[in-house]
Amino acid sequence: MATAYQNARDVFNTYFAGSKGHLDTMDDYENPDTGEVYHDGAHFMRLALDIQFLSVLEYFACHITGENQTFKEAGEKLNEAIEKLHLKWREEGMDTVRPFDAPGMSLTLQAMIYAKRYNYKRLKSVDSPVQTMVDELYHRSKENLEDEYLHSIVQDSTRTFRQHVLDQEYREPSTYTPYFSTNIVALYGASLALDSYLITHQQNNDKSSAPADYPLYGRIEEIGYYIKAMNYNHQVEGREGKVGGGESSSRRNEIHAGYNSWVAWSIAQMAFGLVYPPSIADDNDSVFFSESREMQDGFTATYYRSNKTVPFIYDRNGTIMDGGNAVGYLYPMVFAETAGSDSFLPWLDEAVYAYCEREQIGSPFKDAIVRICEIDHDTTGSFFHRALTGLTMGMLRGLTFSC
């Protein structure tokens, strides 16, 4: 048992600190099936999640625990990661990418929001203008996402993303396949909510503003209610939540544990665009927070049927499309937990710990969220980066992991 910060420090020391070089593994992405190495949107997504983790860890080491060594080393890696992300976006051409084709741009905006709120004054501003990089990535990603949401026509449709959201149109009627992956729009709504709460409310207005004062308050609300409207009962045993993505061959027509964990994570964050509690660690009485918890209940219910969380389930009849156990993919969902008062995180810790024991992953003396990082920290990062997000959210929410 350890706090989120203690586990985050452990993961940092194992994979980031000194010459460990986790950030260097993001220079190339290897397809685990074909061995092909290529440059793709995965770089932006993973580097952005690294930055979120390093941002919150550096802040906690500086202001909460006072651990100078971790504070110094995390700060160095944070600057390095922002420089890498800025360079990759410059090479790619930020204005040439469709922001909703992949999650990287929304996660970049979120990462820059954390950096502006928690680390900005301590970022490099002389030899390498990291502060300027943060400002540029923040403004350009926000503008590009807005333009995509308002003006881009959805593939195989004649309408914009916003038009589909406002009319709560999710599936193409004749084929019953989704127009687009829910998690993409959800991550955008979450980004706006974080911008509203952390930047506009806390930083710019010294906690004196109201949610409706944020210029895009209505957009957070419309995206959140769009996500909420997509719920359904899965084999009447519990709500698994929204279809978040899946195999391209079937037009994202599955429940995907990893994608859905991001949807649940995102709608919990959107709660902070509707209701401003005193702290991000405090409970939130928005309906969006309750929705995220119902999605937790859905995954718990389906897990108990087979003692595993399958990566893909066909969403119309529950047919399992792929075996394996992806229960570790659910760690981003802990953002909807409140310290000392909820049961999802203890359940998740026990399920992941049991999985690690069966598969002989990691040391039994470490918490489950640390153990699953060993699975793919140097390849695809599917477990690693969802665990990293769980630790980031755990620090913000003041959580302790049970095993």
Side-chain angles (χ1 to χ4, degrees):
M1 176 182 289
T3 66
Y5 173 80
Q6 290 167 334
N7 280 326
R9 183 185 57 198
D10 188 352
V11 168
F12 174 79
N13 288 333
T14 302
Y15 300 106
F16 290 88
S19 60
K20 302 295 173 54
H22 167 74
L23 292 175
D24 293 338
T25 68
M26 295 297 100
D27 290 339
D28 293 301
Y29 174 71
E30 181 176 343
N31 185 314
D33 298 321
T34 66
E36 179 186 8
V37 177
Y38 56 93
H39 176 84
D40 76 341
H43 288 308
F44 306 109
M45 173 186 72
R46 294 184 174 96
L47 267 176
L49 292 172
D50 288 344
I51 290 168
Q52 293 182 30
F53 170 77
L54 294 168
S55 168
V56 178
L57 179 67
E58 191 266 4
Y59 173 81
F60 266 68
C62 179
H63 290 284
I64 309 300
T65 67
E67 295 181 358
N68 289 332
Q69 187 66 24
T70 300
F71 158 62
K72 178 182 177 181
E73 292 188 353
E76 291 172 353
K77 292 296 181 180
L78 175 62
N79 279 282
E80 179 186 347
I82 293 171
E83 289 173 332
K84 280 179 174 285
L85 184 61
H86 183 266
L87 176 62
K88 289 185 184 298
W89 275 121
R90 190 173 65 185
E91 292 174 342
E92 185 76 11
M94 198 170 197
D95 298 330
T96 67
V97 174
R98 287 200 64 175
F100 286 172
D101 281 354
M105 196 168 294
S106 286
L107 291 172
T108 292
L109 176 55
Q110 291 184 24
M112 296 308 104
I113 289 168
Y114 286 126
K116 288 175 73 68
R117 175 67 181 88
Y118 294 120
N119 324 98
Y120 189 81
K121 291 182 180 179
R122 297 185 299 279
L123 295 173
K124 289 192 294 185
S125 59
V126 181
D127 296 333
S128 177
V130 177
Q131 290 180 348
T132 303
M133 294 177 187
V134 168
D135 291 335
E136 179 186 347
L137 290 174
Y138 169 80
H139 289 293
R140 291 182 66 187
S141 60
K142 190 175 177 181
E143 290 168 359
N144 289 353
L145 286 161
E146 177 170 20
D147 184 66
E148 177 84 347
Y149 181 71
L150 294 179
H151 304 300
S152 289
I153 302 299
V154 175
Q155 183 179 358
D156 298 329
S157 170
T158 60
R159 314 188 74 206
T160 65
F161 286 92
R162 188 176 191 228
Q163 287 171 327
H164 281 289
V165 167
L166 288 174
D167 291 339
Q168 297 186 349
E169 295 175 334
Y170 185 58
R171 298 180 182 279
E172 203 284 322
S174 63
T175 63
Y176 200 66
T177 53
Y179 285 110
F180 50 83
S181 181
T182 310
N183 74 308
I184 298 297
V185 172
L187 287 167
Y188 174 49
S191 302
L192 295 179
L194 291 175
D195 190 44
S196 170
Y197 183 68
L198 295 179
I199 303 300
T200 299
H201 176 60
Q202 290 194 341
Q203 183 165 287
N204 295 347
N205 289 289
D206 197 25
K207 300 184 179 182
S208 63
S209 61
D213 295 334
Y214 182 65
L216 298 178
Y217 169 83
R219 189 167 304 165
I220 300 168
E221 193 173 41
E222 69 194 34
I223 293 173
Y225 279 109
Y226 169 77
I227 303 276
K228 189 176 185 301
M230 296 304 115
N231 69 289
Y232 56 92
N233 291 323
H234 181 58
Q235 294 187 349
V236 303
E237 289 194 35
R239 284 172 55 185
E240 224 153 14
K242 318 305 175 291
V243 177
E247 296 291 87
S248 58
S249 60
S250 55
R251 294 281 313 281
R252 311 175 193 89
N253 204 27
E254 304 91 24
I255 295 167
H256 185 304
Y259 284 67
N260 268 39
S261 72
W262 279 6
V263 176
W265 167 42
S266 295
I267 199 166
Q269 290 177 305
M270 277 184 265
F272 286 82
L274 264 65
V275 175
Y276 287 167
S279 163
I280 199 168
D282 290 325
D283 206 359
N284 192 302
D285 60 7
S286 165
V287 66
F288 294 162
F289 218 63
S290 301
E291 177 69 11
S292 183
R293 288 175 168 173
E294 290 186 23
M295 294 174 73
Q296 292 177 345
D297 293 342
F299 272 109
T300 305
T302 54
Y303 180 89
Y304 282 133
R305 290 202 297 271
S306 60
N307 287 325
K308 67 180 180 181
T309 298
V310 294
F312 302 103
I313 303 176
Y314 186 62
D315 71 310
R316 296 188 71 180
N317 58 17
T319 302
I320 294 175
M321 298 185 65
D322 191 13
N325 194 338
V327 67
Y329 285 4
L330 306 186
Y331 270 116
M333 296 169 68
V334 303
F335 187 74
E337 295 285 277
T338 301
S341 62
D342 289 304
S343 59
F344 177 75
L345 179 54
W347 166 82
L348 180 58
D349 280 337
E350 290 176 7
V352 176
Y353 191 89
Y355 169 69
C356 291
E357 288 291 282
R358 287 194 302 271
E359 301 297 323
Q360 297 183 327
I361 299 166
S363 167
F365 301 105
K366 293 183 180 291
D367 281 351
I369 194 168
V370 176
R371 295 176 69 174
I372 62 167
C373 290
E374 294 192 17
I375 297 175
D376 56 6
H377 66 91
D378 56 351
T379 55
T380 62
S382 297
F383 283 95
F384 181 82
H385 281 95
R386 289 181 175 92
L388 215 62
T389 299
L391 292 169
T392 307
M393 299 303 108
M395 285 187 283
L396 291 173
R397 300 288 294 159
L399 303 180
T400 294
F401 294 83
S402 60
C403 65

